[in-house]
Amino acid sequence: MALVNMRDMLNHAYRGGYAVAAFDLVSLDFLEAIIKAAEASRAPVILSLAESHFEYFDFELAMAATEAAAMRTWAPVAIHLDHGASLESAVKAIRLGCNGVMVDASTRPFEENLERTRAVVDMAHACGVPVEGELGYVAGVEGEDAERHPGEVIYTAPEEATRYVRGTGVDCLAVSVGTVHGRMRGEPQLDFDRLEQINRALGIPLVVHGGTGLSDAQFRRLIERGVTKINYYTALSDAAAERIRENVVSAEPGGYTALVRGMQEPMRAEMQRCIRLWGSENRAEEVLAGCEPWQPVDHVIIYNLPEGTDTTAMMAEGRRVLGAIPGVREVVTGKAVAEGAAYRYCWNVRFCHPAVIDSYRDHPDHIRFADTVFRPAAADRLSIDFRVLRD
Ligand code: 13P
């Protein structure tokens, strides 16, 4: 289990002058290829799921697989919501297991972007989850990722970036310095002076979207100027598609598995090339040593109720009300198997991070439910918050 705090991961990269790859995944093949690339390169990596891609796969199912992969690998990973459109998207992503979220209100006027971002930061920080904001606009040129980013590039203004970061409290900032989402047409012109000014003014990890198509020298110059997270997708998608096209013409007539055979290999090769170029190769051990492991906390209550209480209704209300509080992953309600048990009922509320112990206790929905429904009935109870330890 090597899920680590993404804030620590990015701060480590910022101090170390290298960048972590954030590869967007759209299927199990992508997920497996990313994990294999991270392990083979002994590198930290971000498993990134873009809301703009959710029409291609079921986010909830993909998160179950992504979290299982993160638990199984020894390589340090974080799970990130890419281009989240709203507060609700961020709450849902955290509930499903993301330990980093991006809020993308970059198409909105400055003040609105600031306000929307701040609302996500307030919620996510109360859950221990770091937030990426975007200022300026990274447009798209061509390809399935580009299609989600219509319009023209708007460059990030350094003075606005300072106001935005101070006003929102974001942990890292996606900047627009001339990259575009999707396939490049010609060599992009990047504004390194602007990036340098932003980096000097902010001193926090910077993020570049639209990694596909940049030259090795451009990547190096971006990283020298504070870029510590690079979002990368279209080149991986194109590498996979190329292998599928080869399978179509060369394979014996076959079904789905014959068509997708071997598609992880070119993706993995491209990922390992990026990891090497961006300086995160062979960093896994130091990242594991220097970052907080991402461990949930279970809030457990065992209790008794007076005869005649409608336990079913109370538990259903609790699951619904408490399960919607940000940072709560799951609410399990139970009844003792043995008739004569000293305590006959239990709650098991799973929090994504220890920070949720406080924000959950103080949340108005919890206070209302606890003070008016649960505590008056369940006077006889014991509770504990414990960190889930695996290995
Ligand atoms: P590319 O598809 O251009 O690599 O960009 C990916 C990205 O920025 C996702 O957020």
Side-chain angles (χ1 to χ4, degrees), residues 166-213:
R166 285 210 189 114
T168 59
V170 289
D171 303 271
C172 57
L173 180 70
V175 292
S176 177
V177 290
T179 59
V180 291
H181 284 102
R183 291 181 207 105
M184 286 289 171
R185 289 204 208 103
E187 166 121 328
Q189 298 304 310
L190 303 188
D191 189 341
F192 292 109
D193 289 343
R194 179 184 296 269
L195 181 62
E196 189 145 354
Q197 279 181 49
I198 297 170
N199 186 33
R200 237 185 283 123
L202 301 184
I204 64 167
L206 302 178
V207 180
V208 155
H209 285 246
T212 296

Side-chain angles (χ1 to χ4, degrees), residues 318-335:
R319 285 194 301 270
R320 182 176 54 77
V321 171
L322 305 177
I325 294 175
V328 172
R329 301 271 333 256
E330 192 183 19
V331 180
V332 176
T333 48
K335 187 172 187 297

Side-chain angles (χ1 to χ4, degrees), residues 179-391:
T179 59
V180 291
H181 284 102
R183 291 181 207 105
M184 286 289 171
R185 289 204 208 103
E187 166 121 328
Q189 298 304 310
L190 303 188
D191 189 341
F192 292 109
D193 289 343
R194 179 184 296 269
L195 181 62
E196 189 145 354
Q197 279 181 49
I198 297 170
N199 186 33
R200 237 185 283 123
L202 301 184
I204 64 167
L206 302 178
V207 180
V208 155
H209 285 246
T212 296
L214 301 183
S215 69
D216 292 7
Q218 285 177 320
F219 278 127
R220 285 197 198 94
R221 293 180 72 186
L222 289 171
I223 294 165
E224 279 164 15
R225 288 161 181 79
V227 169
T228 51
K229 172 174 177 281
I230 299 178
N231 284 33
Y232 205 73
Y233 169 69
T234 302
L236 308 176
S237 166
D238 285 351
E242 181 59 28
R243 176 59 61 94
I244 292 169
R245 274 191 290 273
E246 286 165 18
N247 288 341
V248 170
V249 293
S250 70
E252 296 290 309
Y256 170 82
T257 52
L259 290 183
V260 298
R261 184 168 297 141
M263 69 177 257
Q264 287 184 31
E265 288 160 22
M267 284 201 279
R268 193 176 140 187
E270 177 59 7
M271 291 176 196
Q272 289 192 238
R273 184 187 76 82
C274 293
I275 287 170
R276 201 171 311 118
L277 180 63
W278 301 345
S280 53
E281 190 176 46
N282 292 325
R283 298 273 190 175
E285 280 76 9
E286 52 185 292
V287 170
L288 286 171
C291 297
E292 178 195 47
W294 189 260
Q295 284 167 321
V297 164
D298 276 8
H299 172 64
V300 176
I301 307 173
I302 55 174
Y303 60 101
N304 283 321
L305 292 171
E307 290 302 322
T309 312
D310 186 347
T311 50
T312 311
M314 189 182 79
M315 288 180 180
E317 185 181 351
R319 285 194 301 270
R320 182 176 54 77
V321 171
L322 305 177
I325 294 175
V328 172
R329 301 271 333 256
E330 192 183 19
V331 180
V332 176
T333 48
K335 187 172 187 297
V337 176
E339 277 300 322
Y343 287 94
R344 293 194 303 280
Y345 305 103
C346 74
W347 297 99
N348 192 348
V349 186
R350 176 156 289 190
F351 301 149
C352 69
H353 184 270
V356 186
I357 294 172
D358 289 339
S359 56
Y360 171 85
R361 192 191 46 233
D362 298 340
H363 194 282
D365 292 345
H366 170 256
I367 292 172
R368 189 199 57 78
F369 180 76
D371 287 354
T372 64
V373 181
F374 180 63
R375 286 178 188 143
D380 178 15
R381 63 181 188 275
L382 293 175
S383 68
I384 175 178
D385 295 316
F386 66 87
R387 218 180 281 277
V388 176
L389 302 176
R390 288 197 178 86
D391 42 42

